[in-house]
Amino acid sequence: FPSHDIVKTKMFKLSIDQVASLPSFGYFVTKGLVQSVKMSDDGEKIYLTIYDDSTGSSLRTSTKYSPVMKSVEELVEGDEVILFGERASFKNDKDEWAAYNILMGVVKNVSNADAEAFKRIESARKKKSAGK
């Protein structure tokens, strides 16, 4: 087998307010509550903003990747999510570097209370279908 160089990618677990202090490159993981989900006018990009209830800080991310867009479309305000992102930058009209956040993935974080409720619902469905 030929040898391959393996590149390790470091992903940092950060609070929402820590993401703003990242340099204009790198990957991160954070969690928060969905504040808003907005589609661009042309429908080619979706914006997800999450916030931290305890600090009041928020984080805006965006993606054009359709599988991730579909995941975001299923979210509603107040959902707790775990977000995977990439910090990137571009040169703005003033020839300055501006940082932004690319949404790479998002997972709805189902709490234990919700999991218990889903178990009870599933149990009730099984009993009903069994005629009990």
Side-chain angles (χ1 to χ4, degrees), residues 15-18 33 35 50-59:
S15 62
I16 290 174
D17 56 339
Q18 290 174 315
L33 302 172
Q35 186 173 30
I50 64 170
Y51 70 98
D52 181 344
D53 213 10
S54 61
T55 65
S57 54
S58 63
L59 173 69

Side-chain angles (χ1 to χ4, degrees), residues 62-111:
S62 64
T63 187
K64 292 181 177 182
Y65 186 54
S66 61
V68 176
M69 288 176 72
K70 287 178 184 172
S71 297
V72 174
E73 288 172 348
E74 295 174 6
L75 299 173
V76 295
E77 187 178 324
D79 281 345
E80 185 179 42
V81 295
I82 299 168
L83 184 146
F84 305 88
E86 178 182 0
R87 189 81 160 161
S89 61
F90 66 95
K91 277 208 172 183
N92 63 18
D93 297 341
K94 299 175 186 173
D95 206 33
E96 301 167 332
W97 287 102
Y100 68 101
N101 304 300
I102 301 169
L103 178 61
M104 297 174 60
V106 64
V107 178
K108 186 173 175 180
N109 192 16
V110 181
S111 72

